[in-house]
Amino acid sequence: MTKDIVCSGIRPTGNLHLGNYFGALRNFVAMQDEYDCYFFIADYHSLTTHPTPGSIYDDARRILVQYLACGLDPERSTIYLQSDLPETVELYLFLNMNAYLGELERVTSFKDKVRQNPNNVNAGLLTYPTLMAADILIHKATKVPVGKDQEQHLEMTRTFAQRFNNMYHSECFPLPQAVGFGQQLVKIPALNGAGKMGKSEGEASTIFLTDEPDVIRKKIMKAKSDSGPTEPNQTKPEEIENLFTLLRVVSTADTVEHFDHLYNTCQIRYGDLKKQLAEDMEKFIAPFRERIKELEADDARLRRIMDLGRDKAHASASRTLSEVRRTIGYRN
Ligand code: TRP
């Protein structure tokens, strides 16, 4: 049996944090064992909202390094920069010919962008879903790990794929399905007691994979807590539950049980809990931070990784594109 083909694009924004790791990332890493995976940095898509980027390569490189440090494997998977695969753009042109203004204008993410940026309603923004469809269909991917916010785009990918197949009486494209991770997603809370880590909660509430030990300690010691339980076995308020959630993620079961017992018997001192959490968090983050530093400094290795990814992606994309061109009726 042939393996399912997985494809996902990564926006080159921000730095990776604990929430990213326990969200999609850890699952990307695991998927490599089971599927034929294509992961790329979406550095064409960046142009839709940043018409004058000075740092497009640096951003892509930085995010690539951080994903590699988390375990994306350039040997087992195909990991590349979107802008290294111009075949995508040719497929994007073909798909745009059968993408209708009305359906593109109805896309939620487009309407949001128009509202946020009424002075930059460009055609690239409008056709964001066809570019995304091209990213996926160029490898004939069947599974796309994406968050809820991308499901409408994926639905459109299926629409465009089906329309192409119908139009040319072909079976060129499979219809890709979204894969959510459901139960496997561990929601990491922000340190300020409310919301998810990384979601507009500010840097002080977020542990980045690049954070140095003293930064981690400071952030955790300042995390929100309360004045402590007054009755045995009290339900934990949100900010305390959040500290325990983090503890469960980076500490041993014994440690969690120890502090749980102290809480339930009203003997807990949050300073002690935070000290322990900071220590275990640092142990957890350190290998990521060190691998990031190592890769950052090894330009030759990074270039080799990018070249390998580009070549593997090209092999897959040129196969699809020849078939598409033949199907449409162009010379090959
Ligand atoms: N639109 C996705 C996001 O905002 C990124 C992306 C671009 C993508 N092309 C893709 C995701 C193809 C999956 C497949 O996160």
Side-chain angles (χ1 to χ4, degrees):
M1 215 185 78
T2 54
K3 281 189 193 170
D4 262 306
I5 298 175
V6 166
C7 173
S8 198
I10 296 155
R11 268 178 292 126
T13 52
N15 283 309
L16 289 180
H17 54 72
L18 201 67
N20 297 130
Y21 183 73
F22 284 99
L25 227 169
R26 212 168 45 139
N27 295 296
F28 280 14
V29 172
M31 286 183 117
Q32 301 181 115
D33 294 329
E34 217 177 320
Y35 304 111
D36 185 5
C37 293
Y38 294 82
F39 297 115
F40 64 93
I41 312 290
D43 61 352
Y44 280 145
H45 272 113
S46 319
L47 287 177
T48 54
T49 44
H50 304 119
T52 52
S55 58
I56 198 138
Y57 175 71
D58 290 348
D59 289 344
R61 184 184 186 277
R62 193 187 69 246
I63 292 303
L64 175 66
V65 163
Q66 296 186 13
Y67 273 80
L68 292 169
C70 290
L72 286 200
D73 178 351
E75 300 291 334
R76 280 188 298 160
S77 302
T78 300
I79 302 165
Y80 63 100
L81 305 188
Q82 188 185 28
S83 63
D84 274 339
L85 195 67
E87 286 90 339
T88 305
V89 184
E90 191 173 340
L91 182 56
Y92 167 62
L93 178 139
F94 295 146
L95 296 175
N96 271 332
M97 299 301 171
N98 301 317
Y100 295 101
L101 185 58
E103 64 189 341
L104 293 170
E105 281 175 337
R106 280 194 298 275
V107 175
T108 310
S109 63
F110 176 70
K111 290 194 282 193
D112 289 346
K113 287 280 164 13
V114 170
R115 223 173 295 125
Q116 290 157 9
N117 260 315
N119 297 322
N120 185 26
V121 184
N122 61 67
L125 205 56
L126 181 71
T127 56
Y128 188 107
T130 39
L131 182 53
M132 182 158 158
D135 291 327
I136 296 166
L137 298 176
I138 198 75
H139 301 303
K140 300 195 180 196
T142 46
K143 287 190 186 312
V144 184
V146 285
K148 273 253 171 291
D149 62 324
Q150 298 297 315
E151 277 178 9
Q152 192 182 20
H153 292 152
L154 207 62
E155 175 87 52
M156 296 190 75
T157 301
R158 284 192 291 274
T159 301
F160 299 142
Q162 185 69 65
R163 197 175 285 158
F164 184 96
N165 290 348
N166 292 346
M167 181 129 191
Y168 296 103
H169 309 290
S170 77
E171 282 173 29
C172 198
F173 297 123
L175 306 185
Q177 299 299 322
V179 274
F181 296 113
Q183 294 300 308
Q184 286 121 281
L185 292 183
V186 180
K187 283 201 186 74
I188 303 295
L191 293 173
N192 63 356
K196 267 169 71 178
M197 185 173 282
K199 276 263 154 54
S200 64
E201 302 297 340
E203 303 221 334
S205 295
T206 303
I207 305 284
F208 292 99
L209 302 185
T210 46
D211 278 348
E212 294 291 339
D214 57 321
V215 174
I216 294 175
R217 199 174 330 110
K218 269 194 206 123
K219 285 178 180 174
I220 288 180
M221 293 318 284
K222 281 198 191 135
K224 187 151 188 245
S225 57
D226 65 4
S227 50
T230 49
E231 291 167 39
N233 304 313
Q234 224 173 293
T235 325
K236 299 184 183 84
E238 192 182 12
E239 60 267 25
I240 303 304
E241 188 55 51
N242 286 352
L243 289 176
F244 274 88
T245 298
L246 292 169
L247 205 62
R248 277 192 291 272
V249 159
V250 296
S251 303
T252 64
D254 285 353
T255 306
V256 177
E257 210 177 297
H258 170 72
F259 284 104
D260 222 16
H261 174 73
L262 291 178
Y263 183 88
N264 286 332
T265 50
C266 302
Q267 304 175 74
I268 195 158
R269 286 167 35 190
Y270 291 129
D272 294 344
L273 182 152
K274 288 178 177 180
K275 250 175 84 185
Q276 183 70 48
L277 178 59
E279 201 177 291
D280 293 340
M281 184 66 75
E282 159 54 13
K283 274 197 209 122
F284 183 83
I285 295 290
F288 292 99
R289 184 183 60 234
E290 298 315 314
R291 280 197 296 271
I292 290 171
K293 275 191 192 155
E294 225 173 85
L295 273 160
E296 275 287 358
D298 196 344
D299 206 51
R301 177 155 167 229
L302 268 177
R303 273 171 200 283
R304 274 200 305 279
I305 289 173
M306 287 181 200
D307 288 351
L308 175 67
R310 180 201 55 206
D311 293 347
K312 284 163 74 173
H314 173 72
S316 153
S318 63
R319 239 182 290 128
T320 306
L321 201 57
S322 309
E323 183 184 346
V324 167
R325 289 178 56 101
R326 208 178 328 113
T327 302
I328 297 176
Y330 288 111
R331 192 172 78 86
N332 251 319

